[in-house]
Amino acid sequence: MSENIYITEERIEGTDDGPLSGTTVAVKDNISTEGVRTTCGSKMLAEYVPPYDATVVERLKEAGATIVGKANMDEFGMGTTNETSYFGSVDNPAAPGRVPGGSSGGSAAAVAAGEADVALGSDTGGSVRCPAAFCGVVGIKPTYGLVSRYGLVAYANSLEQIGPFGETVEDAAQLLDVIAGDDERDATTRELPLDEDETYADAATGDVDGLQIGVPTELLEGADEGVVETFWDAIAELEDRGAEYHEVSLPSVEHAVEAYYVIAMSEASSNLARFDGVRYGHSADAEGNWNETFARTREEGFGDEVKRRILLGTYALSAGYHDKYYKKAQDARAWVKQDFDEALSEADVLASPTMPVPPFELGESLDDPLQMYLADANTVPVNLADLPAISVPAGETDGLPVGLQLVGPAFGERRLIRTASALA
């Protein structure tokens, strides 16, 4: 077993009968589980026990799944390597000595190590797809609104979605079948007409004959040579199966990372204001007035990366700077969405390397947060555009896993699953 995959290993049994009966699931530790600790990888919530289940957990239980543990993660979902967790970093089962990716690294590692059949993570800017790529497994980031976020501890509400991991595309798709659907407790979910003839798992046919693949040239620029070579090998395999590709352009992605981090950090600043040591979570022993206790609680309870993002987000929202930063970031987000819509009018799916680099060595990027932020260049634009994406193993470079990212139109998960299953 890879080190530190789980923060809590308490089992949660589902019903005796259901589509996932006998299936073991790891659940990221920012998804609420009634009576079982949900820490978000933070000292602030190290002893927090939710009084209710997230909607996705309820649906897992009803489907007969057995939850085998709460998976380790970057603190409050903030990180690309899974090294910001208060409970220690996770080693990558597919590349020992390397990071598993973040922030859902424990979930991906659980599947890669065979510790769970499937897993749930959350994806704010690539937090399902990055660890899927680094650990050599499949990860799906659903369209915003396809899966209920009720019970997911919020980091950046307008960007994040819960998504499944599996060893194969069909495994991940079967889990998506269980968790997808509208929820009256989450107003952002959308009621869609049911396709009774084809479940998500049914779509995993591998039929790509005649498929038009768009390759955004901007998402290959600056990528590791070995990653790019492995990416083209995967495209060639899809061509052999009848697909065709052509280059497309997404000029707005040049500004996507900057826009994403302004929006995400601003929302994090607001969401994490609730952790004051009074209502729940860590509470510092401090003499003096409430302001001193509040400050000490947050100083002790949050790690460096979380503090950095709260400070930057608070600054971006402060008087005199809101229009300069946050409003411009939202304008850039609209531009990114427009570019994706135009590209997808010329192609069935878009393809790129999931991550521009292979897995980092443990400790390599801890002292360089900018390097960590820039590594998200291929994944964050998808969240800004509210679109679905999947990361599927494309091969290896120098013995390290490389992922292929496929992006589709809103609620086009079946198309992505059909395409990705030609490779895994």
mmCIF file of all heavy atoms in Angstrom, residues 273-279 283-284 286-298:
data_model
loop_
_atom_site.group_PDB
_atom_site.id
_atom_site.type_symbol
_atom_site.label_atom_id
_atom_site.label_comp_id
_atom_site.label_asym_id
_atom_site.label_seq_id
_atom_site.Cartn_x
_atom_site.Cartn_y
_atom_site.Cartn_z
ATOM 1 N N ALA A 273 -13.640 32.041 5.179
ATOM 2 C CA ALA A 273 -13.855 32.985 6.284
ATOM 3 C C ALA A 273 -14.663 32.360 7.409
ATOM 4 O O ALA A 273 -14.612 32.818 8.559
ATOM 5 C CB ALA A 273 -14.563 34.242 5.765
ATOM 6 N N ARG A 274 -15.407 31.281 7.098
ATOM 7 C CA ARG A 274 -16.267 30.644 8.096
ATOM 8 C C ARG A 274 -15.476 29.902 9.168
ATOM 9 O O ARG A 274 -16.003 29.586 10.231
ATOM 10 C CB ARG A 274 -17.218 29.671 7.411
ATOM 11 C CG ARG A 274 -16.562 28.409 6.887
ATOM 12 C CD ARG A 274 -17.452 27.613 5.956
ATOM 13 N NE ARG A 274 -17.677 28.335 4.709
ATOM 14 C CZ ARG A 274 -18.403 27.867 3.701
ATOM 15 N NH1 ARG A 274 -18.992 26.689 3.798
ATOM 16 N NH2 ARG A 274 -18.554 28.567 2.596
ATOM 17 N N PHE A 275 -14.216 29.600 8.892
ATOM 18 C CA PHE A 275 -13.417 28.821 9.842
ATOM 19 C C PHE A 275 -12.784 29.767 10.857
ATOM 20 O O PHE A 275 -11.671 30.263 10.676
ATOM 21 C CB PHE A 275 -12.369 27.990 9.095
ATOM 22 C CG PHE A 275 -12.983 27.020 8.123
ATOM 23 C CD1 PHE A 275 -12.837 27.189 6.765
ATOM 24 C CD2 PHE A 275 -13.750 25.958 8.580
ATOM 25 C CE1 PHE A 275 -13.428 26.307 5.869
ATOM 26 C CE2 PHE A 275 -14.349 25.073 7.698
ATOM 27 C CZ PHE A 275 -14.187 25.252 6.333
ATOM 28 N N ASP A 276 -13.541 30.012 11.930
ATOM 29 C CA ASP A 276 -13.148 31.019 12.919
ATOM 30 C C ASP A 276 -12.849 30.426 14.291
ATOM 31 O O ASP A 276 -12.555 31.150 15.242
ATOM 32 C CB ASP A 276 -14.240 32.078 13.059
ATOM 33 C CG ASP A 276 -15.615 31.478 13.385
ATOM 34 O OD1 ASP A 276 -15.676 30.271 13.709
ATOM 35 O OD2 ASP A 276 -16.606 32.222 13.307
ATOM 36 N N GLY A 277 -12.948 29.083 14.413
ATOM 37 C CA GLY A 277 -12.664 28.454 15.692
ATOM 38 C C GLY A 277 -13.808 28.511 16.673
ATOM 39 O O GLY A 277 -13.662 28.048 17.812
ATOM 40 N N VAL A 278 -14.943 29.051 16.285
ATOM 41 C CA VAL A 278 -16.087 29.177 17.180
ATOM 42 C C VAL A 278 -17.139 28.112 16.863
ATOM 43 O O VAL A 278 -17.580 27.366 17.727
ATOM 44 C CB VAL A 278 -16.719 30.588 17.080
ATOM 45 C CG1 VAL A 278 -17.988 30.663 17.938
ATOM 46 C CG2 VAL A 278 -15.711 31.635 17.514
ATOM 47 N N ARG A 279 -17.522 28.022 15.603
ATOM 48 C CA ARG A 279 -18.621 27.123 15.236
ATOM 49 C C ARG A 279 -18.157 25.677 15.099
ATOM 50 O O ARG A 279 -18.823 24.756 15.524
ATOM 51 C CB ARG A 279 -19.268 27.621 13.942
ATOM 52 C CG ARG A 279 -20.088 28.881 14.164
ATOM 53 C CD ARG A 279 -20.443 29.556 12.869
ATOM 54 N NE ARG A 279 -19.275 30.225 12.269
ATOM 55 C CZ ARG A 279 -19.335 31.019 11.209
ATOM 56 N NH1 ARG A 279 -20.500 31.224 10.628
ATOM 57 N NH2 ARG A 279 -18.258 31.600 10.737
ATOM 58 N N SER A 283 -9.640 25.363 17.348
ATOM 59 C CA SER A 283 -9.779 26.598 18.110
ATOM 60 C C SER A 283 -8.538 26.786 18.955
ATOM 61 O O SER A 283 -8.166 25.905 19.743
ATOM 62 C CB SER A 283 -11.025 26.553 19.006
ATOM 63 O OG SER A 283 -11.188 27.770 19.692
ATOM 64 N N ALA A 284 -7.865 27.905 18.766
ATOM 65 C CA ALA A 284 -6.595 28.157 19.465
ATOM 66 C C ALA A 284 -6.854 28.535 20.917
ATOM 67 O O ALA A 284 -7.867 29.150 21.254
ATOM 68 C CB ALA A 284 -5.823 29.268 18.758
ATOM 69 N N ALA A 286 -6.008 30.981 23.342
ATOM 70 C CA ALA A 286 -5.404 32.320 23.336
ATOM 71 C C ALA A 286 -6.126 33.212 24.321
ATOM 72 O O ALA A 286 -7.350 33.193 24.424
ATOM 73 C CB ALA A 286 -5.478 32.927 21.941
ATOM 74 N N GLU A 287 -5.364 33.976 25.049
ATOM 75 C CA GLU A 287 -5.939 34.955 25.964
ATOM 76 C C GLU A 287 -6.122 36.273 25.217
ATOM 77 O O GLU A 287 -5.408 36.579 24.274
ATOM 78 C CB GLU A 287 -5.015 35.152 27.169
ATOM 79 C CG GLU A 287 -4.831 33.892 28.008
ATOM 80 C CD GLU A 287 -3.917 34.135 29.185
ATOM 81 O OE1 GLU A 287 -3.450 35.285 29.337
ATOM 82 O OE2 GLU A 287 -3.680 33.182 29.937
ATOM 83 N N GLY A 288 -7.076 37.052 25.661
ATOM 84 C CA GLY A 288 -7.308 38.330 25.011
ATOM 85 C C GLY A 288 -8.666 38.373 24.358
ATOM 86 O O GLY A 288 -9.556 37.563 24.654
ATOM 87 N N ASN A 289 -8.838 39.300 23.423
ATOM 88 C CA ASN A 289 -10.150 39.495 22.808
ATOM 89 C C ASN A 289 -10.383 38.499 21.676
ATOM 90 O O ASN A 289 -9.497 37.741 21.290
ATOM 91 C CB ASN A 289 -10.314 40.945 22.318
ATOM 92 C CG ASN A 289 -9.267 41.315 21.278
ATOM 93 O OD1 ASN A 289 -8.872 40.497 20.449
ATOM 94 N ND2 ASN A 289 -8.826 42.566 21.309
ATOM 95 N N TRP A 290 -11.591 38.572 21.109
ATOM 96 C CA TRP A 290 -11.978 37.603 20.080
ATOM 97 C C TRP A 290 -11.094 37.732 18.844
ATOM 98 O O TRP A 290 -10.750 36.735 18.207
ATOM 99 C CB TRP A 290 -13.441 37.825 19.699
ATOM 100 C CG TRP A 290 -13.903 36.862 18.638
ATOM 101 C CD1 TRP A 290 -14.372 35.597 18.813
ATOM 102 C CD2 TRP A 290 -13.901 37.091 17.225
ATOM 103 N NE1 TRP A 290 -14.662 35.016 17.602
ATOM 104 C CE2 TRP A 290 -14.382 35.903 16.605
ATOM 105 C CE3 TRP A 290 -13.537 38.173 16.418
ATOM 106 C CZ2 TRP A 290 -14.524 35.796 15.231
ATOM 107 C CZ3 TRP A 290 -13.668 38.057 15.045
ATOM 108 C CH2 TRP A 290 -14.153 36.875 14.463
ATOM 109 N N ASN A 291 -10.737 38.948 18.478
ATOM 110 C CA ASN A 291 -9.920 39.144 17.282
ATOM 111 C C ASN A 291 -8.579 38.419 17.400
ATOM 112 O O ASN A 291 -8.090 37.830 16.425
ATOM 113 C CB ASN A 291 -9.679 40.636 17.039
ATOM 114 C CG ASN A 291 -10.926 41.345 16.534
ATOM 115 O OD1 ASN A 291 -11.726 40.754 15.814
ATOM 116 N ND2 ASN A 291 -11.091 42.609 16.923
ATOM 117 N N GLU A 292 -7.983 38.442 18.571
ATOM 118 C CA GLU A 292 -6.710 37.751 18.770
ATOM 119 C C GLU A 292 -6.891 36.237 18.674
ATOM 120 O O GLU A 292 -6.062 35.534 18.086
ATOM 121 C CB GLU A 292 -6.113 38.138 20.124
ATOM 122 C CG GLU A 292 -5.665 39.598 20.194
ATOM 123 C CD GLU A 292 -5.214 39.996 21.597
ATOM 124 O OE1 GLU A 292 -5.381 39.170 22.520
ATOM 125 O OE2 GLU A 292 -4.712 41.118 21.766
ATOM 126 N N THR A 293 -7.970 35.735 19.252
ATOM 127 C CA THR A 293 -8.239 34.292 19.177
ATOM 128 C C THR A 293 -8.504 33.864 17.740
ATOM 129 O O THR A 293 -8.012 32.827 17.281
ATOM 130 C CB THR A 293 -9.457 33.946 20.063
ATOM 131 O OG1 THR A 293 -9.194 34.357 21.410
ATOM 132 C CG2 THR A 293 -9.727 32.452 20.044
ATOM 133 N N PHE A 294 -9.278 34.667 17.022
ATOM 134 C CA PHE A 294 -9.587 34.392 15.625
ATOM 135 C C PHE A 294 -8.297 34.322 14.795
ATOM 136 O O PHE A 294 -8.082 33.390 14.005
ATOM 137 C CB PHE A 294 -10.511 35.484 15.097
ATOM 138 C CG PHE A 294 -10.818 35.406 13.625
ATOM 139 C CD1 PHE A 294 -11.735 34.501 13.137
ATOM 140 C CD2 PHE A 294 -10.187 36.269 12.729
ATOM 141 C CE1 PHE A 294 -12.035 34.438 11.775
ATOM 142 C CE2 PHE A 294 -10.465 36.208 11.372
ATOM 143 C CZ PHE A 294 -11.392 35.299 10.890
ATOM 144 N N ALA A 295 -7.430 35.302 14.988
ATOM 145 C CA ALA A 295 -6.183 35.354 14.224
ATOM 146 C C ALA A 295 -5.284 34.167 14.557
ATOM 147 O O ALA A 295 -4.690 33.544 13.660
ATOM 148 C CB ALA A 295 -5.450 36.672 14.503
ATOM 149 N N ARG A 296 -5.181 33.817 15.835
ATOM 150 C CA ARG A 296 -4.336 32.695 16.244
ATOM 151 C C ARG A 296 -4.894 31.371 15.716
ATOM 152 O O ARG A 296 -4.128 30.496 15.283
ATOM 153 C CB ARG A 296 -4.251 32.657 17.779
ATOM 154 C CG ARG A 296 -3.395 31.544 18.348
ATOM 155 C CD ARG A 296 -1.910 31.839 18.225
ATOM 156 N NE ARG A 296 -1.563 33.006 19.001
ATOM 157 C CZ ARG A 296 -1.324 33.002 20.313
ATOM 158 N NH1 ARG A 296 -1.444 31.866 20.999
ATOM 159 N NH2 ARG A 296 -0.982 34.109 20.937
ATOM 160 N N THR A 297 -6.203 31.228 15.746
ATOM 161 C CA THR A 297 -6.836 30.008 15.232
ATOM 162 C C THR A 297 -6.490 29.788 13.771
ATOM 163 O O THR A 297 -6.108 28.687 13.356
ATOM 164 C CB THR A 297 -8.368 30.092 15.403
ATOM 165 O OG1 THR A 297 -8.682 30.056 16.805
ATOM 166 C CG2 THR A 297 -9.069 28.930 14.710
ATOM 167 N N ARG A 298 -6.593 30.820 12.962
ATOM 168 C CA ARG A 298 -6.329 30.693 11.531
ATOM 169 C C ARG A 298 -4.831 30.554 11.248
ATOM 170 O O ARG A 298 -4.436 29.858 10.302
ATOM 171 C CB ARG A 298 -6.947 31.880 10.788
ATOM 172 C CG ARG A 298 -8.474 31.798 10.824
ATOM 173 C CD ARG A 298 -9.140 33.084 10.394
ATOM 174 N NE ARG A 298 -8.993 33.390 8.990
ATOM 175 C CZ ARG A 298 -9.748 32.889 8.018
ATOM 176 N NH1 ARG A 298 -10.704 32.003 8.312
ATOM 177 N NH2 ARG A 298 -9.572 33.238 6.773
#
